[in-house]
Amino acid sequence: MNIILMGPPGAGKGTQAEKLVSKYGLVQISTGDMFRKEMKEDSKLGVIAKFFIQYGHLVPDDITIDIVRERLSKNDFPNGFILDGFPRTVVQARSLESLCKELGFKIDAIINLDVDFDKLIKRLSGRRVCRECGATYNLEFKPSKKPGICDICGGELYQRIDESEDAVKIRLQTYTRQTRPLIDYYTMKGQLININGDQSMDDVFKDIEKCLGV
Ligand code: ADP
Ligand code: ADP
Ligand code: ZN
């Protein structure tokens, strides 16, 4: 089962992907996580990605498509994969189609998590991420047991560089301008599954399972 998880920043893509990984053994492919790893390592790609990410802009399509091509080419998904945060533009969606053809993958479901912008801003300002293992918390909705410390690995929790008030505003504009059109693109192809993301994390997951028929 290969899935695309779509939705605006903070809609819960990462949270739901994690649930799909642990229950169904799917492999999560998050372009955001991949870029953050490169930024942490200060690699050449990381430096380029940071230039765009810190201001809330998308990393250019050619760079993003390259890292996804490289990752998918490994072909190590016995139970399937979840694309979390890719594609984010129509150009990326088209590239993914040819990439799937080339590598012999089929996308089985395209899920869109729908959440209002005012709720998103609240979620994003409270999101904290573990510097070591990347686990995601929320000051209000999913607090760690000890403030500032990861429950899983004891690592330090930090706020992402693109989660300042200004960057969040630009990310939401970027979403509206560049990623929203993808919803129409997949809707017209009759492929989009809309899920109400404004429910508890567990209820969103139940809806996803219902739609997937698993
Ligand atoms: P969020 O969880 O807020 O949706 P991600 O962690 O998926 O954000 O991505 C963080 C940032 O990384 C994005 O704001 C964007 O700058 C960059 N990025 C992630 N995925 C893509 C993509 N498919 N195309 C271009 N840029 C991307
Ligand atoms: P995305 O990957 O789409 O940016 P995340 O899964 O990282 O979204 O969630 C964004 C923030 O909102 C995180 O702090 C997360 O703990 C929190 N969150 C996720 N899903 C929900 C939910 N259903 N209700 C409340 N908070 C949520
Ligand atoms: Zn951790």
Side-chain angles (χ1 to χ4, degrees):
M1 187 163 56
N2 300 323
I3 300 170
I4 294 177
L5 258 185
M6 288 180 54
K13 302 180 292 295
T15 300
Q16 298 303 324
E18 192 191 308
K19 290 177 183 291
L20 287 163
V21 167
S22 57
K23 190 152 175 191
Y24 299 105
L26 305 181
V27 175
Q28 179 187 8
I29 302 175
S30 158
T31 39
D33 284 351
M34 286 154 88
F35 287 136
R36 274 185 293 280
K37 183 166 172 281
E38 297 290 335
M39 290 196 287
K40 189 174 162 191
E41 290 167 0
D42 235 351
S43 68
K44 194 172 152 210
L45 170 60
V47 172
I48 297 171
K50 186 174 178 184
F51 179 77
F52 298 96
I53 290 175
Q54 65 184 336
Y55 300 116
H57 299 300
L58 293 185
V59 177
D61 283 335
D62 52 345
I63 297 177
T64 307
I65 291 161
D66 274 354
I67 63 162
V68 172
R69 171 181 292 118
E70 203 177 298
R71 181 67 193 86
L72 285 179
S73 300
K74 291 197 178 136
N75 210 335
D76 53 351
F77 320 106
N79 301 313
F81 57 77
I82 309 159
L83 285 168
D84 160 3
F86 181 93
R88 262 176 150 104
T89 65
V90 173
V91 170
Q92 291 179 14
R94 295 223 169 93
S95 299
L96 177 64
E97 279 156 28
S98 34
L99 200 55
C100 282
K101 221 176 261 171
E102 186 186 316
L103 297 171
F105 291 127
K106 184 174 154 281
I107 300 294
D108 301 292
I110 303 174
I111 295 171
N112 180 50
L113 299 175
D114 194 20
V115 181
D116 287 344
F117 274 21
D118 51 335
K119 298 256 170 60
L120 294 175
I121 292 168
K122 220 169 162 208
R123 285 188 189 180
L124 293 170
S125 62
R127 172 158 57 188
R128 295 292 182 273
V129 182
C130 175
R131 217 179 267 291
E132 303 307 320
C133 74
T136 298
Y137 297 87
N138 193 287
L139 295 181
E140 185 171 346
F141 305 111
K142 193 188 173 188
S144 57
K145 291 196 184 93
K146 280 191 218 151
I149 307 282
C150 177
D151 292 348
I152 302 164
C153 77
E156 181 204 0
L157 303 186
Y158 78 108
Q159 185 166 28
R160 279 167 42 172
I161 51 164
D162 57 349
E163 239 128 52
S164 66
E165 208 176 303
D166 285 348
V168 164
K169 224 181 272 169
I170 295 173
R171 278 161 66 204
L172 293 175
Q173 286 169 3
T174 302
Y175 170 79
T176 304
R177 226 178 296 136
Q178 294 181 266
T179 309
R180 271 292 295 263
L182 255 190
I183 294 187
D184 300 332
Y185 178 81
Y186 285 133
T187 303
M188 280 193 307
K189 287 172 155 261
Q191 289 180 301
L192 197 76
I193 301 168
N194 258 307
I195 302 251
N196 174 15
D198 184 15
Q199 313 178 69
S200 73
M201 300 177 198
D202 288 342
D203 284 346
V204 175
F205 189 59
K206 276 185 202 146
D207 277 3
I208 291 177
E209 290 186 298
K210 222 183 283 165
C211 291
L212 294 176
V214 288

